[in-house]
């Protein structure tokens, strides 16, 4: 039987005597629960986490939205940064991005106050720095800037004291914008679709993180690999997850996000799934992810 907050079924193994059954999670490790995080006495400075994977469609934006909402539900002050020109995170939270200042304006004018651009969402404790298609021109404009890899870090320094965690939803590439996110971040969370082609690209991403650590940001850590779009009914999904655990060991988060049609439904409504369908297994999975990251020390 699964515990509350599981996104997929757990399996059970018994000892030879048939007693002392051990509940295994989908990652094949003994299931452990994560306690509800205690309330914070004060807020800030923020720990910055980049959600990064150069492959598209692996659940970066969905994870950013729902993890941010889950952490806000546990009393954390959260800033979600839409760092993808497609603007999916902004749309998924119902934020209007037409004819308004965005993160692009802050990158081009670092003297501008980010508080003027931050937008409050309908989720208490969750704010957004929005983006739109203008951001696609940022790499061209920034290529000749001095210390161009640190521009986002300079922007975030002005607001870090106001939040407990800042989540950066990166675009599906390893270009200058993603390098900016990795340079600004304290940690990286890698959403990884349980599909063979998604697995192939992770080695390149890890190599990029190592280069950023070596040349730009010595403090950056891998906060975890999050298996997404997991379907326990298919052998392929189970085999890919098994290989991910073999490759990354304890860096693979115990929480696994399953496939569900509720995610696009929630996005169309401009709401996180924790608000759209709070009792659904996927909503409970993201709440569990928030608790796991707090338990791991990735979030205060």
């Amino acid at each position: 039987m699964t515990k509350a907050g599981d996104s997929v079924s757990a399996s059970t193994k018994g000892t030879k005597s048939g007693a002392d059954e051990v509940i295994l999670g989908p990652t094949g490790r003994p299931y452990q629960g994560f306690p509800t995080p205690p309330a914070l006495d004060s807020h800030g400075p923020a720990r910055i986490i980049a959600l990064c994977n150069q492959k598209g469609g692996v659940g970066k934006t969905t994870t950013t939205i729902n993890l941010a909402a889950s952490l806000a539900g546990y009393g954390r002050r959260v800033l979600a940064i839409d760092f993808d020109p497609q603007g999916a995170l902004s749309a998924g939270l119902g934020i209007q991005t037409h004819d308004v200042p965005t993160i692009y304006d802050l990158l081009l004018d670092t003297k501008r106050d980010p508080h003027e651009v931050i937008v409050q969402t309908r989720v208490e404790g969750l704010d957004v720095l929005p983006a739109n298609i203008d951001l696609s021109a940022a790499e061209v404009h920034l290529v000749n800037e001095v210390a161009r890899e640190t521009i986002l870090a300079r922007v975030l320094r002005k607001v870090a004291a106001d939040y407990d965690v800042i989540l950066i939803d990166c675009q599906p590439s390893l270009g200058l914008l993603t390098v900016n996110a990795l340079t600004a971040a304290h940690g990286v969370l890698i959403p990884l679709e349980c599909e063979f082609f998604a697995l192939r690209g992770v080695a390149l991403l890890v190599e990029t993180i190592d280069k950023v650590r070596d040349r730009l940001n010595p403090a950056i850590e891998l906060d975890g690999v999050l298996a997404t779009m997991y379907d326990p009914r298919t052998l392929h999904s189970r085999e890919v997850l098994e290989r991910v655990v073999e490759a990354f060991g304890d860096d693979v988060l115990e929480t696994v996000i399953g496939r569900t049609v509720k995610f696009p439904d929630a996005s169309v409504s401009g709401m996180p799934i924790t608000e759209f369908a709070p009792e659904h297994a996927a909503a409970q999975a993201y709440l569990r992810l928030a608790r796991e990251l707090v338990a791991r020390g990735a979030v205060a």
Side-chain angles (χ1 to χ4, degrees):
M1 130 176 223
T2 57
K3 306 260 183 127
D6 245 347
S7 55
V8 291
S9 299
S11 59
T12 306
K13 284 188 178 179
T15 63
K16 290 181 181 178
S17 64
D20 300 324
E21 287 183 328
V22 177
I23 298 177
L24 298 182
T27 61
R29 294 170 294 186
Y31 185 102
Q32 59 174 324
F34 299 102
T36 300
L40 297 175
D41 296 328
S42 59
H43 298 286
R47 189 166 187 277
I48 302 170
I49 302 175
L51 286 90
C52 189
N53 192 326
Q54 77 271 25
K55 185 180 185 303
V58 299
K60 289 189 299 295
T61 300
T62 297
T63 295
T64 307
I65 290 172
N66 293 295
L67 175 58
S70 298
L71 288 168
Y74 287 125
R76 274 58 187 167
R77 293 204 62 189
V78 184
L79 176 64
I81 298 178
D82 194 344
F83 217 45
D84 185 344
Q86 296 178 65
L89 182 140
S90 303
L93 285 168
I95 304 298
Q96 172 60 252
T97 61
H98 179 67
D99 242 4
V100 297
T102 65
I103 185 68
Y104 173 71
D105 299 291
L106 296 176
L107 295 176
L108 264 60
D109 181 6
T110 54
K111 293 182 180 178
R112 186 166 187 162
D113 185 357
H115 294 93
E116 299 173 357
V117 183
I118 290 173
V119 179
Q120 292 183 330
T121 71
R122 67 180 79 183
V123 179
E124 185 178 355
L126 172 57
D127 297 340
V128 171
L129 267 176
N132 56 29
I133 195 63
D134 292 346
L135 188 59
S136 60
E139 295 199 12
V140 175
H141 287 292
L142 298 179
V143 71
N144 293 319
E145 289 288 326
V146 175
R148 59 185 179 270
E149 299 91 355
T150 66
I151 292 175
L152 179 62
R154 281 178 269 158
V155 170
L156 297 186
R157 275 200 292 266
K158 300 176 183 179
V159 296
D162 301 330
Y163 297 94
D164 301 308
V165 59
I166 296 175
L167 301 177
I168 308 173
D169 179 29
C170 298
Q171 66 174 344
S173 82
L174 294 178
L176 183 55
L177 289 180
T178 299
V179 171
N180 257 271
L182 294 175
T183 304
H186 300 106
V188 184
L189 182 62
I190 303 176
L192 179 63
E193 180 187 5
C194 290
E195 193 267 338
F196 177 68
F197 290 112
L199 182 60
R200 290 182 62 196
V202 176
L204 182 60
L205 173 57
V206 171
E207 184 180 318
T208 301
I209 294 170
D210 288 341
K211 286 180 180 177
V212 169
R213 182 185 296 116
D214 183 50
R215 303 172 189 178
L216 296 165
N217 182 7
I220 194 169
E221 302 173 345
L222 177 59
D223 285 342
V225 177
L226 174 68
T228 63
M229 304 185 189
Y230 178 69
D231 187 346
R233 299 168 299 178
T234 68
L235 178 62
H236 183 70
S237 250
R238 297 197 301 271
E239 285 181 338
V240 169
L241 184 52
E242 187 177 322
R243 290 184 62 178
V244 171
V245 174
E246 286 176 3
F248 291 96
D250 290 339
D251 285 330
V252 180
L253 299 176
E254 187 179 307
T255 304
V256 172
I257 310 299
R259 283 189 182 274
T260 174
V261 296
K262 284 291 184 183
F263 287 131
D265 291 345
S267 297
V268 169
S269 300
M271 301 168 65
I273 199 166
T274 50
E275 300 274 323
F276 181 77
E279 300 304 318
H280 194 275
Q284 294 301 312
Y286 275 112
L287 288 167
R288 186 171 187 271
L289 173 62
R291 297 197 300 272
E292 181 172 1
L293 290 175
V294 173
R296 281 174 165 251
V299 179

